[in-house]
Amino acid sequence: PFEDLAVADYGDCWLDPHAPETITPAIVEHARTILHSGATMLTFGGDHYISYPLLRAHAEKIGRPLALIHFDAHCDTWEDEGPNTLNHGTMFRRAVVDGLVDPKISVQIGIRTFNDDFMGIPRLDAPWVHQHGPAAALARILEIVGEHPAYVTFDIDCLDPAYAPGTGTPVAGGLTSAQALQIVRGLAPVNIVGCDVVEVSPPYDHADITALAAAHVACDLL
C-alpha cells in the first residue's frame, strides 16, 4: 500500500490513566488534529472504547451521523451509567444515543453474544456468516450501508480464538481470518471515512497469531 498511498505514523495519543475524565477529550482532540490535516485515520487500540471519541471526531468532521461497520463478538450496546462512563461494552449505545451513528445504515458482523437491546443495528452474527458465507455477508453490508460515509471498527475478537487468542474477551465460534479478510477486502466500494483495529492484547498472544491477523486486517483496510 505504501507504493500508492502517503502513509504516516502519527504516533501515540498520550493518555493520563490517573485522570480518566480527560481520556475522552484527549482522544477527540488528537483525532481532530489529524482529520483537520485532510488525512484519513486508521487507529490502533487498545481498548475498544476508543471508538467512541473517534466517532465523535469523525461525525463532527463529516457533519452528520455515520454508518458503522462493526466487526466483533460483542454488540457493545449494553446500558451504561451515564455519558462519562469509560466502558468497552457500552460505547456504541452511547454513539447511537448521541447521534454519532445512524443504526439504520449500520451493521454488526460476527456477533455471538446476546443483548436485550441492539439499538436497532442490523446484525450478521457469526452463525449467519458461517451458514451463508462471506460473499453473502458482503452483499448485505453493501446493501445496508450504501453510499453513506462509514466508519469501520474491527475488534479482533470477531475472529475465533483459534485465529486470535491474544485478546481480552475471546468467544468461541467466531469468524476465520479468511472469512473476515474476504469481507474486509470487499469493502472497497464503501465510502470509508475512518477505521480502527482494536483489542489486540500481546501478553495473551501466541506466536504472534493475533498480531499477524490484526496486521493483515489493517493492511487491507488501507
Side-chain angles (χ1 to χ4, degrees), residues 13 44 110 143 148 159:
C13 174
F44 297 113
E143 178 186 0
H148 298 283
L159 303 182

Side-chain angles (χ1 to χ4, degrees), residues 179-200:
Q179 288 174 319
L181 289 170
Q182 182 177 340
I183 297 171
V184 168
R185 289 166 182 161
L187 296 178
V190 177
N191 178 18
I192 298 175
V193 297
C195 46
D196 63 52
V197 180
V198 296
E199 293 288 341
V200 175

Side-chain angles (χ1 to χ4, degrees), residues 47-48 72-74 76 78 88-89 112-113 155-161 164-172 198-201 204:
D47 192 285
H48 204 168
D72 207 321
H74 314 86
D76 296 337
W78 284 277
H88 70 174
R112 49 198 186 276
T113 52
D155 186 326
I156 203 65
D157 71 25
C158 175
L159 303 182
D160 189 86
T167 190
T169 49
V171 182
V198 296
E199 293 288 341
V200 175
S201 181
Y204 293 102

